[in-house]
Amino acid sequence: MSKISRYLRFQDGLSDWVGRVTAWLTLGIIGVLLYEVVARYILNAPTVWGHELATMFFGALSILAGSYTLRHQSHVRSDVIYRLLPMRTQAFCDVIVFSLGILVLSIFFTMAVEFAHRSWLIGEYSNRSIWRPPLWPIKATIPIAVGFLILQSVAELVRAIVRLLGIPYDDPRDDISDAD
């Protein structure tokens, strides 16, 4: 197995792992909302934290799923014209798109780190409810998620460059075992 294939297998595995771990937040959201509904409508004792905690879980789930979604090529895109192009032209377009994407994500990553760090330094709390949960943990998920998205974007850029140059490699996406 070539170094390129080993790298792609590792990075795809990391993105799959992040996606699978992140998916468990769905159960957290369901649990919190179920508890809130029972407390509110059956026990007549609504919580002050239920809606806000579910919103935080959903925010983390949404942003952390980015690298998994990219790994499985599931982001929304319009590729009607792209699919008509020759393979090398598609690869050239991918090199441009992923290069620009990594540049933009790198700028966003820097801003997200500052954003989360500032929240952590001041011990920022939410003012949306009397519960007042700390916000720095949820804000810390932003640079983490962007970091994972950058890593997967680099893997996609490597795939595009290899295809553009016509270098043979074993793409882990072609494995039957990854079809789950």
Side-chain angles (χ1 to χ4, degrees), residues 101-178:
I102 291 167
L103 176 66
V104 170
L105 286 170
S106 297
I107 293 167
F108 185 61
F109 177 78
T110 303
M111 294 169 64
V113 167
E114 293 170 6
F115 180 68
H117 184 251
R118 187 173 35 248
S119 179
W120 180 77
L121 283 178
I122 65 172
E124 186 177 10
Y125 286 85
S126 172
N127 289 324
R128 293 183 61 194
S129 70
I130 59 172
W131 177 43
R132 294 186 41 99
L135 289 178
W136 60 267
I138 194 66
K139 287 186 176 184
T141 62
I142 298 169
I144 292 168
V146 173
F148 285 131
L149 190 53
I150 289 170
L151 291 175
Q152 187 61 40
S153 294
V154 169
E156 299 304 322
L157 179 61
V158 167
R159 278 185 175 92
I161 291 170
V162 167
R163 281 191 353 250
L164 181 64
L165 298 176
I167 299 171
Y169 74 105
D170 295 321
D171 192 342
R173 285 190 179 143
D174 297 337
D175 290 351
I176 305 268
S177 62
D178 282 351

Side-chain angles (χ1 to χ4, degrees), residues 79-97:
D79 57 359
V80 174
I81 296 172
Y82 176 85
R83 294 287 177 204
L84 298 174
L85 299 173
M87 208 52 134
R88 280 222 163 124
T89 307
Q90 288 179 6
F92 179 74
C93 291
D94 288 344
V95 167
I96 292 170
V97 167

Side-chain angles (χ1 to χ4, degrees), residues 14-26 56-71 75 137-150 152:
L14 177 62
S15 292
D16 276 338
W17 181 82
V18 169
R20 287 188 171 103
V21 169
T22 300
W24 285 98
L25 285 172
T26 305
M56 289 179 175
F57 281 175
F58 181 72
L61 171 71
S62 297
I63 194 164
L64 286 168
S67 63
Y68 178 86
T69 306
L70 181 60
R71 183 261 187 260
H75 284 283
I138 194 66
K139 287 186 176 184
T141 62
I142 298 169
I144 292 168
V146 173
F148 285 131
L149 190 53
I150 289 170
Q152 187 61 40

Side-chain angles (χ1 to χ4, degrees), residues 2-12 151 154-155 158:
S2 71
K3 289 182 181 181
I4 293 171
S5 296
R6 279 197 304 267
Y7 162 69
L8 293 175
R9 187 170 306 283
F10 172 79
Q11 181 53 54
D12 287 353
L151 291 175
V154 169
V158 167

